[in-house]
Amino acid sequence: TAQPPATASEPLAGATRLADGYAVAALLRSEAPAAFEFFCRAPLPFQHVAGDVHVSATRPVFTLDRVSGDVVEFCYNETDRAPLDTLSFDDVAAFYEHEGALRRAIGRLERSVRLQPSEAIVVDNRRVMHGRFGFSGKRHLIGCYLTADDWRSRLRVLRRRAAGE
């Protein structure tokens, strides 16, 4: 089924929300370098608990390539952020000092899209922040996950074949 239709009072109800984490990093690096440095350094705790599922991770928001310094991973989910009990007292204060800059950068870069029946979105879960705006009603959503290692392996194999190896 399609995502719920927009209404005059709720134009984004049910729409998909997307933000490119690499663009968020570039914006912070340029406009709020102290916030960028903090979110590259401080491992934040995240967890999702629902029924028989309890997923937990602790990592910085931005992971940088050790050689190039390029952002290679973006990890932030404001609704799944866990208590900051893994951070030092000073880092908890720094988190609250810099979190506003992160949220503003995400807000400036966030885009929305309304899917129609049979449409799909493919996102890199380590790059793109994604979610949905709230709505009333029903929708049918199917998720599928493919690890980056799987598609990179397939790409290397196809390139070798195309080169005649």
Side-chain angles (χ1 to χ4, degrees):
T1 60
Q3 291 180 328
T7 65
S9 63
E10 293 185 299
L12 295 175
T16 297
R17 308 168 69 177
L18 302 165
D20 181 351
Y22 292 11
V24 170
L27 187 60
L28 278 183
R29 186 178 259 171
S30 127
E31 296 184 5
F36 175 75
E37 186 279 326
F38 173 79
F39 289 115
C40 287
R41 176 186 61 74
L44 301 182
F46 297 91
Q47 69 177 347
H48 176 78
V49 181
D52 292 338
V53 175
H54 185 162
V55 180
S56 177
T58 302
R59 60 172 46 106
V61 172
F62 304 114
T63 300
L64 304 179
D65 181 272
R66 291 180 181 172
V67 175
S68 69
D70 293 339
V71 175
V72 294
E73 183 174 301
F74 172 69
C75 178
Y76 189 72
N77 183 337
E78 59 196 28
T79 60
D80 286 345
R81 190 171 42 78
L84 300 174
D85 57 4
T86 59
L87 298 179
S88 70
F89 180 81
D90 289 342
D91 276 350
V92 170
F95 171 82
Y96 287 109
E97 176 185 343
H98 298 304
E99 193 229 1
L102 177 62
R103 284 175 156 243
R104 284 188 298 278
I106 291 168
R108 282 174 57 188
L109 296 167
E110 183 177 85
R111 301 294 179 256
S112 64
V113 63
R114 187 171 301 284
L115 296 177
Q116 298 305 313
S118 79
E119 291 183 329
I121 292 178
V122 177
V123 298
D124 181 341
N125 213 32
R126 301 297 174 133
R127 176 175 181 158
V128 178
M129 187 174 185
H130 55 93
R132 279 140 306 280
F133 287 95
F135 71 97
S136 298
K138 295 181 180 182
R139 110 175 111 212
H140 185 71
L141 182 67
I142 298 173
C144 175
Y145 294 89
L146 177 68
T147 68
D149 289 340
D150 289 340
W151 67 261
R152 286 183 182 130
S153 168
R154 185 69 178 148
L155 179 61
R156 285 190 293 271
V157 168
L158 292 174
R159 282 183 175 157
R160 234 182 25 243
R161 285 185 189 161
E165 296 178 21

